[in-house]
Amino acid sequence: MASRLSLILVLRRTRAIRMHTLLYGSVEATQPLSWDEDLHKLLEESLGRGFMIATRSVPTLPLSDERMALIEKLRAASLENLSAMGVPLAGLYQENNNKETKPLTELCAPLEAKGIRGSDQRNYLLDLSRLTPRDANWVPESEGGTGRWEAVASLAKGGRAKKFIPDSLEDDEHTMAILRHELVSSLTRKQMSKYLLAKKDKKKTDDKEKTATDSEKDASKKEEKEEVDAEDEDFLASLRLNPNVFLPNIKSLEGIDDEAYKQIKKDEERVREAAAYLWDDVLPGLTKDIRENSGQILPVDGETLCEVLHQRGINCRYLGRLATMAIEEEEKDRKVEADFTAGKVKSVPRRQMPLSWLELLECEMVARAAKHVLNSYLAENGGYGAAQPAQIIACFFSAVLSTGEERAGETELRLKKAGGAADDNDASPSFLHGPSDPSFNRSRAEIWEDIEREIGRRFRYVLTLYNTPQASAKTKNGGSEDTKPRTLYTPLLRRLCQRNGVRLVAKTYEIGGKCLCSGGNNSYPIASSDIAGILPLVKHAAAAPGSEGFLPASFDSHSGPPSLHILLPDAKSTFDTAYAAWNQKALPQALDLFQEASNLYQRVVDTPLHMSIAKCLRMSAVILFQAGETDVAAANAARSLAIAVQLGGFDHPESANSHSTLAHILLNSNETGEGIKHLRAATYLTELMAGRNHPDLGGNYHKLGTIYHELGSPVNGLRFYQEASLKENADRIVSGMIAKSTALALANVGHFKSALESEKRAYNLYRCTLGEDHELTKSSAQNMTHFTKIAVQQGTRIAKEEKKRKDEQAANAVASEIVADELAAEAAKASKKKKNKSKSKKSKG
C-alpha cells in the first residue's frame, strides 16, 4: 500500500496545523465536508471491510439550520466580547467560503472524523471516537428508537422507580451510547450463517434438477463458484451499518435526495434490528447461560463481569436490565420451590439462578455510579476539594459502606470503647490532607440519594440489595445464615478502590454497620488517615479486549507494565485458536498453540510479565496434567501463579484461577499438604471477591471435606461438609452430593440418626431433580434403608443401655437408702446406749 493510514483514537477535537492539509471531513462545524478519492478508497478497504462500516451519502453541510443559527449566534457574541477586550479578530475564525459544493458527500467514517495529510506526507484519521452506530434502545422512541426502555417504564410502578429513574432517555451522555463491535460481529455471523444455510438448501434443490453433461457441469461449476463468491461478498457488504444515524442536530436528507433519504431509513431500521437483537436475544441468552452455568462463565468480581459482558457485545449500561432479569429468575425459583413444597409439582429443574449474579451486578452499578458522584463532589467549588481529597473520599466511602449513620451517643460510646479519639497513625502522604472543604457536609442519606439517582439515570434501575430498610434491619438484628443481607461490603470496597484509584491502609475495617460521615474531619469506619494514596486512572487503547480501559497510572516499583494487547493481534488469534482446540479435545495441537502464543507475547513485550502469558502457562499446565506430565504441569501452574500475583496482585481473578489449577494438579500428584493450601487460598479469594453466595464456594468446601475424610479425619471433613451445606449452591445435584457426603461422615463417627436426616435431604434432592429411577436416587434410597436399620439398632441399643443405666441408678439409690437407714439405726442405737450409760453413771454418783 503506497500510503500508510494510522488510526489514532482521539476523543478531543484537534485543530489542523497550518502545514497539514484537510482531505476528509471538516474541522469547523460551519465548514462543508472535504472529500478525497484516494483516502476514501483507503477507508473503504480498512474501516469498511474491517469494522463493517457502510459508505453513505451525508449532507455536505451536515448540521441543521437551527444548529447553525445557534452557532452563529454564539460566535457573534464571543466576537463581540473579544472585540470589547481589544483582542484582534483577524484570522480567528475561518470564514465560510462561497465556493459551490455538492449537496451530498459520500463518507465511510463517522461524521465527526477528519482525515488530514501531515507535513510528513502521511495520512492521519482524527476524532475517530466511534466505529458503530448509536444504540437504538437508548434513543427515544419519538426519535426513531426501539422503545424498549419506554415499554419497561410503562410497566414500572411508582415509589423509588419514579423518584430515581428519569422519564425520558434524553441525555447528552447517551448520545455516545453506541453498539459494541462484538455485537456487530455476532449479528453479522448470525445473518451470514442463515444466508449460507438457505443458499446451501437451494443448491441441493437445484442439483437434483440439473441434466447437463459432465463437461458442461464442470464448466458451470467454475462459473457458479465465482458467481457464488461475488454474491457472498455482496451480501456481506449489504450487512454493513451506517454509523451516522440517530445523530442529533443533523440535517435531514428529505427533499435533498430521495434515494439517499430512503437508504437512511433502511439504515435506521437495520440499527433497530441490531438493538432488538441485543435486547431480545443476547441479554436473555446471557441470563440463561448464567443460570445453566454454561461454560462456567459466572464472574467472580467486577472486572471479570465486564469481560463477560463485553465479549458478548453487551455494554455496561445494560447492568440494570440484567439485574432486572436476574430478579425475575430468582422469583421463578422461589415460586417453583414453594409449589414443590406444597405438592403442586413433582419435579424441579436441576439448576437455579445463582444469587451471586444479582449481587455482582448491583455491586458493579453502585461502584460505577459512586465514581461519578465522587468526581462531582471533588469538582465542586472550583475543585477546592480535589486539592486535599482525603477527607472527602473517607467520608464518601464510609457512607457507601454502611447501613446507617451514628447518633452522637453512639459515637461517644464507640470512642470510649476504642480508648480515645480517632486513630492518629497517619500513613498517607501529607499532600492528601489539609483544610477540609467546608461545603462538604453531606449526610449518608444525601450521598446515597445522589448515588441512586445516578444509577437510575445511567442504568435505569432501582437497587434492591443496597441501602434498603430490610438490609439494615437484618444487619442490626444479626440474623441467621439464611436471613443475612446479601449486600457485598468487602467486594464493594475493593471495587470502589479500583474504580477511583484509591489505596487504603491494610487493616480491619468495621464496614457494614453504622458510619460517621458528616462530622467534620473525623469519619468512620474509614478515616482520612486510612487513605494511603490516590492514583489517576488513564483510559487508553492498550487495554485488554473486553476488559476495562481505565488503568492506574503508576510508575513505582510495585506495579507492572500495562498489558499491551492492541499490538498483539497474532498472539491473541493464536491463543483463541488454542482454546478452541482444547475445547475440541485436540490436546497436542492446543498445547503447541498455547506455547506459540506465549512465545509471541514474550517476544513482543520482551518480558514474561504479561497476563496473557500467565493464561497460556495455566492452560498449558492443564493440558500437560491431562497428558500425565504432572511435574511439568505443576511447574507451569506455579509460574502462572507467580506472574498473575506480580501483575494483578494476590486478589486478582487470574490468581484465584491459578491457585485452583495448581491445587488440582498437586492433589492428584499425592502432594496433599501443598494442594490443600492452594485450594484454601482459591476459596478465600473467591469469597473475598464475589461474596459468600458464589456457587464455587460450596464445591471447594466439599472438596476439602472429602480430602480430610479420605485422610482419616472425619471430624475435620464433617466440619467442611457442614460449611459447604451453608453456602448457596445453584446446582441441586451438587447440593445432594454435599448432603450425601455429610451423611457418610456422620455415619463414620457413629451419628446414624443425623446421617439418616442428611441422607434424606440428598434423596429428596435427587428424586425431585433426577426422578425415582435414576441410579443416584436408588443409591440414596439404599443408604437411607441402611442408615435407618443401623439407627434403629443403635437406638434400641442406646435405649437398652439407658434402661440398664437407669435400673442400675435405681438399684444404687435403693441400696444407698438401705445403707443410710442401717447407718441411721446404728447411730440411734449407739446414741441410746450412750444415754443409758450416762444415766447409770449419774445414778451411781
Side-chain angles (χ1 to χ4, degrees):
M1 188 177 293
S3 60
R4 177 181 176 186
L5 176 67
S6 299
L7 301 182
I8 305 176
L9 303 181
V10 180
L11 298 180
R12 297 190 61 185
R13 196 164 177 265
T14 305
R15 298 185 61 182
I17 303 177
R18 183 174 300 176
M19 297 182 65
H20 292 170
T21 303
L22 180 65
L23 301 178
Y24 211 75
S26 177
V27 175
E28 296 292 339
T30 57
Q31 295 297 313
L33 297 175
S34 300
W35 190 83
D36 180 77
E37 183 177 1
D38 294 336
L39 185 56
H40 179 72
K41 291 180 179 179
L42 194 59
L43 291 177
E44 283 188 328
E45 289 296 322
S46 56
L47 293 184
R49 294 175 63 89
F51 295 95
M52 296 297 293
I53 295 179
T55 298
R56 293 292 184 263
S57 297
V58 297
T60 305
L61 287 171
L63 293 184
S64 63
D65 296 337
E66 294 80 4
R67 192 68 172 179
M68 294 286 286
L70 177 61
I71 292 174
E72 292 297 337
K73 180 179 178 181
L74 294 176
R75 173 182 292 184
S78 63
L79 289 175
E80 184 177 352
N81 292 335
L82 291 174
S83 178
M85 296 169 60
V87 177
L89 304 180
L92 186 60
Y93 287 107
Q94 182 180 356
E95 296 295 334
N96 190 359
N97 52 37
N98 295 324
K99 181 181 177 180
E100 294 185 1
T101 58
K102 296 180 181 179
L104 299 179
T105 300
E106 283 192 346
L107 285 184
C108 185
L111 193 60
E112 65 273 12
K114 48 192 66 69
I116 62 172
R117 177 169 295 130
S119 57
D120 57 358
Q121 299 305 307
R122 294 179 176 178
N123 294 334
Y124 295 89
L125 191 62
L126 307 179
D127 286 355
L128 197 64
S129 57
R130 58 187 181 88
L131 293 172
T132 54
R134 282 187 68 186
D135 189 346
N137 292 327
W138 293 86
V139 177
E141 188 176 13
S142 59
E143 298 178 9
T146 59
R148 293 294 199 274
W149 280 119
E150 287 86 347
V152 172
S154 64
L155 299 176
K157 299 180 180 179
R160 300 176 68 208
K162 186 176 181 181
K163 179 180 180 181
F164 295 121
I165 299 179
D167 296 331
S168 174
L169 287 172
E170 291 286 352
D171 195 309
D172 292 338
E173 291 190 16
H174 292 164
T175 304
M176 290 304 296
I178 61 177
L179 300 173
R180 291 192 64 85
H181 181 65
E182 295 90 342
L183 179 75
V184 176
S185 300
S186 174
L187 180 60
T188 302
R189 286 193 298 269
K190 178 184 177 182
Q191 293 173 333
M192 278 299 297
S193 299
K194 184 178 179 181
Y195 162 78
L196 293 175
L197 182 61
K199 183 178 178 181
K200 184 178 180 181
D201 294 340
K202 184 176 182 298
K203 183 180 178 181
K204 289 181 179 179
T205 305
D206 294 342
D207 288 342
K208 295 179 181 180
E209 300 175 355
K210 285 184 179 180
T211 58
T213 61
D214 294 340
S215 59
E216 291 175 345
K217 285 181 179 180
D218 295 337
S220 63
K221 283 181 179 179
K222 293 180 181 180
E223 294 177 358
E224 182 183 357
K225 189 174 185 305
E226 294 176 358
E227 292 175 358
V228 166
D229 292 341
E231 185 180 354
D232 292 345
E233 290 290 340
D234 293 340
F235 181 78
L236 182 61
S238 68
L239 299 180
R240 297 181 184 182
L241 298 178
N242 182 3
N244 298 318
V245 294
F246 301 126
L247 298 182
N249 305 314
I250 298 300
K251 186 183 299 183
S252 174
L253 291 175
E254 187 176 9
I256 300 177
D257 189 315
D258 293 339
E259 290 297 327
Y261 179 71
K262 291 179 181 179
Q263 184 61 52
I264 286 292
K265 290 302 178 183
K266 292 180 182 179
D267 293 339
E268 291 179 353
E269 183 60 31
R270 291 215 62 246
V271 173
R272 279 192 290 269
E273 290 176 1
Y277 169 69
L278 171 60
W279 186 280
D280 298 332
D281 294 345
V282 179
L283 295 178
L286 175 60
T287 302
K288 180 181 178 182
D289 289 345
I290 291 294
R291 182 186 182 92
E292 299 296 330
N293 197 23
S294 177
Q296 296 182 345
I297 62 172
L298 186 63
V300 295
D301 70 340
E303 182 178 348
T304 52
L305 171 63
C306 294
E307 290 182 6
V308 169
L309 297 184
H310 291 170
Q311 287 171 0
R312 294 181 174 237
I314 303 173
N315 303 83
C316 286
R317 58 178 171 272
Y318 283 100
L319 288 170
R321 178 59 185 166
L322 289 170
T324 301
M325 299 173 72
I327 292 174
E328 294 172 355
E329 292 294 323
E330 290 183 8
E331 186 61 33
K332 290 179 184 178
D333 291 337
R334 285 190 288 268
K335 187 177 184 302
V336 168
E337 195 71 28
D339 291 342
F340 178 76
T341 304
K344 296 181 181 180
V345 294
K346 295 183 179 180
S347 62
V348 295
R350 172 180 174 176
R351 297 189 181 276
Q352 307 175 81
M353 194 66 185
L355 298 182
S356 64
W357 177 240
L358 176 61
E359 295 168 1
L360 283 173
L361 290 172
E362 290 208 5
C363 179
E364 184 66 14
M365 281 188 281
V366 172
R368 287 175 173 268
K371 171 186 175 181
H372 294 281
V373 174
L374 179 59
N375 287 344
S376 66
Y377 290 167
L378 294 174
E380 288 180 346
N381 300 321
Y384 180 81
Q388 307 290 344
Q391 182 56 39
I392 295 179
I393 294 176
C395 292
F396 184 82
F397 278 25
S398 298
V400 174
L401 300 166
S402 62
T403 59
E405 197 161 4
E406 287 182 341
R407 295 188 293 269
E410 294 174 331
T411 303
E412 292 180 2
L413 181 61
R414 172 175 59 82
L415 293 177
K416 185 177 180 181
K417 288 182 178 179
D423 187 10
D424 293 332
N425 296 326
D426 193 348
S428 56
S430 59
F431 69 86
L432 297 177
H433 302 280
S436 61
D437 188 355
S439 65
F440 187 82
N441 191 23
R442 289 178 172 85
S443 65
R444 177 188 178 276
E446 293 172 330
I447 292 175
W448 265 106
E449 183 174 353
D450 291 341
I451 292 174
E452 291 197 74
R453 200 176 301 278
E454 188 71 13
I455 291 174
R457 185 181 72 87
R458 289 185 174 274
F459 307 106
R460 304 191 71 79
Y461 179 76
V462 177
L463 296 174
T464 60
L465 305 181
Y466 290 85
N467 196 37
T468 58
Q470 295 82 2
S472 301
K474 289 176 183 177
T475 303
K476 181 179 179 180
N477 298 329
S480 64
E481 189 73 20
D482 295 331
T483 61
K484 284 184 179 179
R486 296 169 56 186
T487 312
L488 303 181
Y489 289 111
T490 302
L492 178 58
L493 174 60
R494 177 176 176 270
R495 195 63 179 145
L496 283 173
C497 293
Q498 290 177 341
R499 297 294 301 176
N500 294 278
V502 176
R503 288 178 173 175
L504 294 180
V505 175
K507 71 175 190 179
T508 301
Y509 295 96
E510 299 295 333
I511 56 179
K514 294 292 186 71
C515 75
L516 177 64
C517 59
S518 59
N521 288 328
N522 295 325
S523 58
Y524 176 82
I526 298 177
S528 59
S529 58
D530 297 326
I531 309 296
I534 304 173
L535 297 177
L537 299 180
V538 179
K539 188 176 182 67
H540 57 83
S547 65
E548 298 178 298
F550 286 98
L551 295 176
S554 176
F555 303 98
D556 56 21
S557 58
H558 301 288
S559 61
S563 297
L564 299 177
H565 288 250
I566 195 171
L567 303 176
L568 311 175
D570 295 339
K572 183 180 182 301
S573 177
T574 305
F575 179 84
D576 294 339
T577 306
Y579 206 89
W582 178 70
N583 286 330
Q584 296 173 0
K585 307 301 181 183
L587 300 185
Q589 181 184 1
L591 180 60
D592 292 340
L593 289 172
F594 277 124
Q595 291 175 348
E596 181 182 352
S598 177
N599 293 333
L600 286 173
Y601 280 117
Q602 191 161 349
R603 282 203 301 268
V604 174
V605 300
D606 198 26
T607 175
L609 294 180
H610 192 282
M611 196 60 72
S612 293
I613 295 179
K615 294 179 180 179
C616 291
L617 290 172
R618 179 169 58 84
M619 295 306 302
S620 299
V622 172
I623 296 173
L624 289 169
F625 173 75
Q626 293 174 349
E629 299 289 341
T630 55
D631 293 337
V632 183
N636 281 351
R639 288 181 58 197
S640 172
L641 175 61
I643 294 174
V645 172
Q646 177 69 20
L647 288 177
F650 79 96
D651 61 337
H652 193 272
E654 186 61 29
S655 302
N657 292 334
S658 298
H659 274 297
S660 180
T661 301
L662 185 56
H664 180 72
I665 295 173
L666 293 174
L667 289 173
N668 287 274
S669 303
N670 295 325
E671 297 185 30
T672 308
E674 292 297 321
I676 288 176
K677 290 180 181 179
H678 288 286
L679 183 56
R680 297 187 73 163
T683 304
Y684 167 76
L685 292 176
T686 301
E687 190 163 2
L688 173 70
M689 294 185 290
R692 68 186 187 94
N693 288 326
H694 197 277
D696 290 349
L697 294 175
N700 288 349
Y701 279 114
H702 177 255
K703 188 180 296 184
L704 286 167
T706 302
I707 294 171
Y708 280 105
H709 192 186
E710 292 177 350
L711 290 175
S713 179
V715 176
N716 287 330
L718 183 60
R719 181 167 60 90
F720 281 104
Y721 287 148
Q722 291 173 342
E723 186 67 25
S725 64
L726 295 176
K727 299 299 179 183
E728 177 64 27
N729 204 309
D731 191 342
R732 289 186 170 90
I733 300 300
V734 176
S735 299
M737 293 173 59
I738 294 173
K740 190 176 185 66
S741 299
T742 305
L744 294 175
L746 288 168
N748 199 9
V749 296
H751 296 167
F752 290 99
K753 186 175 181 181
S754 299
L756 177 61
E757 294 298 325
S758 184
E759 191 65 43
K760 283 182 179 179
R761 290 198 299 271
Y763 173 77
N764 290 330
L765 288 169
Y766 290 148
R767 179 176 58 83
C768 68
T769 306
L770 302 174
E772 296 279 357
D773 299 330
H774 197 274
E775 291 297 328
L776 288 176
T777 309
K778 293 180 180 179
S779 174
S780 183
Q782 293 175 359
N783 287 344
M784 275 201 310
T785 303
H786 179 65
F787 289 152
T788 301
K789 181 179 178 180
I790 297 180
V792 170
Q793 294 176 355
Q794 187 183 49
T796 303
R797 185 176 69 253
I798 291 175
K800 290 180 179 180
E801 292 176 353
E802 183 67 19
K803 182 179 179 182
K804 182 178 179 180
R805 185 180 61 81
K806 289 182 178 179
D807 292 342
E808 291 178 353
Q809 289 180 351
N812 291 334
V814 171
S816 298
E817 289 180 0
I818 294 174
V819 171
D821 291 342
E822 291 177 352
L823 292 175
E826 291 178 359
K829 186 176 180 181
S831 177
K832 184 176 181 181
K833 186 176 180 180
K834 187 177 181 180
K835 287 181 179 179
N836 293 334
K837 188 176 182 180
S838 177
K839 287 181 180 180
S840 63
K841 286 183 178 181
K842 287 182 179 180
S843 61
K844 288 180 181 181

